[in-house]
Amino acid sequence: MAAATSTTAPVPPVPAARRASRIPRSPKVIIGGSLLLLFALLAVLGPVIAPHSPNWQASTSNSTPQPPSGRFLLGTDQFQHDILSQVLAGGRDTLLIAFLAGVIATTLSVLVGVTAGYIGGLTDELLSILANIFLALPGLLILIVVMRPLPPGDTNNPLIIGLVIGLTAWAWGARVLRAQTLALRNQDYVESARVIGERKPRIIVFEVLPNLLPILASSFIFTVIYAIGTYVSLSWLGVINPASDTWGTMLNSAQQSSAMLSNYWWWYVPPALCVALVGIALALLNFGIDEIINPRLRSTRSRHRGVRFTLGLTPVLRSGPAASGPERTGAAASGPAGRPAAVPLSAAEAEDGDTATAVAVAHRDSTAPGGSTAPGDSTTAASTIAAKGETL
């Protein structure tokens, strides 16, 4: 008896334009990137568009903070400084220090983590011990101990502060990169480069590092978030020179003047809100990038046509005696020992990474003459849903 055969159209490759358009379609990336771009523009143009200089005083005789009004949109502090001008001018040093610390910490993480993971042996043990020591040390306490002896002129220098924070924030990223490098160093393409005589630095730079870019991006973003929180904490504790104009020093000034107890909310809410929004923007950006580069997260975003999963229902495609046209059901081919073969969905169902490709096993019921079902001829259908893998 001739078995029914079916032909499944090959899944067309995802166009480059559609693959590149995933990033703008992610709401997390759009919101996070827009917020971060806004604060970056404020950091560059804030001191220029500020109504007054940060040290400008509306009055030298009044020591009562003024609430927001038409003249001062965000009010004034106890010294009659315009809060709006201070907020616009305070983001430059904060973001500069955070991104500088992120670059330094990420560079050290690559040098230590990737080198330890690829070379191995005694080098791996020594570098791992060094990373563990920095992980065990309390970062904020070490920064306070290092920053206290510095002269006042250096405690408001963005380059020195960014360098010190970066030197204490690289250990976590180095551990993660080392673990991933251990998994990559025995891959076929790395072995091939080693066999043909490539030098270790070139293998690390051109073969290993490109596959670590997602982890590098995540490590950099979280280091920037850590640097912002650390710098604001140091400013709030008074370690940073209070004469510098930053969001942290604004919070320190409000705390010193008991603004919270006096209910002068316009003094401390704007700088605290700016710090929180920058952290949220970076976190959303990181989560959005993770959804794009992670196949497991990408395959769960079913927003276009395709298989829609409903609680309690399993999508099963049943086969017929023959297939006609580009129907989704198709015709099942007989497998070994009379078991039905898998029937994939059409190529449209496999479009992009946002829809899953459902593979169902057809349920075959052999009907005996007279309409009765012969015992033993029914094969229970087992459905399998597999996410469509894509090239990252």
Side-chain angles (χ1 to χ4, degrees):
M1 181 177 179
T5 59
S6 63
T7 58
T8 303
V11 177
V14 179
R18 289 185 60 84
R19 190 181 298 274
S21 66
R22 288 189 192 130
I23 295 180
R25 280 200 319 232
S26 175
K28 294 184 179 68
V29 173
I30 294 175
I31 298 174
S34 300
L35 283 176
L36 190 61
L37 179 61
L38 174 62
F39 280 101
L41 291 176
L42 289 179
V44 176
L45 303 176
V48 179
I49 63 177
H52 310 282
S53 65
N55 297 322
W56 177 84
Q57 290 181 287
S59 174
T60 57
S61 59
N62 186 6
S63 60
T64 302
Q66 301 181 26
S69 61
R71 183 184 178 188
F72 303 108
L73 296 180
L74 295 180
T76 65
D77 60 9
Q78 185 178 7
F79 307 100
Q80 301 304 305
H81 297 146
D82 184 23
I83 298 295
L84 177 61
S85 300
Q86 290 186 337
V87 169
L88 292 176
R92 175 176 293 180
D93 286 351
T94 303
L95 295 182
L96 176 61
I97 290 171
F99 280 94
L100 179 62
V103 171
I104 295 174
T106 304
T107 303
L108 292 176
S109 299
V110 172
L111 292 177
V112 175
V114 178
T115 302
Y118 182 78
I119 295 179
L122 182 60
T123 302
D124 183 18
E125 294 182 3
L126 294 177
L127 293 179
S128 296
I129 292 174
L130 180 63
N132 291 334
I133 292 175
F134 274 86
L135 281 175
L137 294 176
L140 186 60
L141 181 60
I142 296 300
L143 287 172
I144 294 176
V145 173
V146 172
M147 297 290 294
R148 275 295 185 183
L150 295 178
D154 292 338
T155 56
N156 60 354
N157 189 331
L159 298 179
I160 295 178
I161 299 174
L163 177 62
V164 174
I165 295 177
L167 290 176
T168 60
W170 59 269
W172 178 84
R175 293 283 295 177
V176 175
L177 291 174
R178 172 188 174 274
Q180 190 65 20
T181 305
L182 289 174
L184 292 176
R185 68 178 183 180
N186 294 324
Q187 295 294 324
D188 293 339
Y189 58 89
V190 178
E191 291 288 349
S192 301
R194 193 180 299 120
V195 167
I196 63 177
E198 296 289 351
R199 302 179 62 182
K200 290 182 180 179
R202 189 186 185 283
I203 295 176
I204 292 175
V205 173
F206 293 99
E207 304 294 343
V208 178
L209 277 182
N211 293 279
L212 298 176
L213 289 180
I215 300 178
L216 287 176
S218 177
S219 176
F220 173 77
I221 291 176
F222 275 107
T223 304
V224 172
I225 297 176
Y226 167 79
I228 291 177
T230 302
Y231 179 62
V232 172
S233 300
L234 292 174
S235 301
W236 184 75
L237 293 173
V239 179
I240 304 300
N241 189 354
S244 59
D245 302 315
T246 65
W247 296 333
T249 54
M250 291 180 64
L251 294 175
N252 173 261
S253 177
Q255 186 263 342
Q256 294 290 338
S257 302
S258 303
M260 296 184 66
L261 297 178
S262 303
N263 199 23
Y264 298 145
W265 58 268
W266 58 88
W267 193 346
Y268 58 86
V269 168
L273 187 61
C274 289
V275 174
L277 287 177
V278 172
I280 291 173
L282 291 168
L284 288 176
L285 193 62
N286 182 71
F287 295 152
I289 293 175
D290 194 27
E291 284 187 358
I292 295 167
I293 63 179
N294 193 331
R296 293 184 178 181
L297 295 178
R298 188 173 66 237
S299 62
T300 60
R301 295 181 297 140
S302 300
R303 297 182 180 176
H304 304 286
R305 57 180 178 175
V307 176
R308 303 232 178 226
F309 297 94
T310 305
L311 183 63
L313 298 178
T314 303
V316 177
L317 304 180
R318 300 185 181 279
S319 64
S324 58
E327 298 180 355
R328 289 177 56 184
T329 54
S334 298
R339 287 180 293 186
V343 181
L345 294 179
S346 63
E349 301 293 329
E351 184 184 23
D352 203 358
D354 296 332
T355 57
T357 302
V359 180
V361 178
H363 178 70
R364 302 189 52 173
D365 293 330
S366 300
T367 305
S372 61
T373 303
D377 290 340
S378 296
T379 305
T380 303
S383 61
T384 305
I385 306 300
K388 173 180 174 288
E390 293 182 357
T391 304
L392 297 180

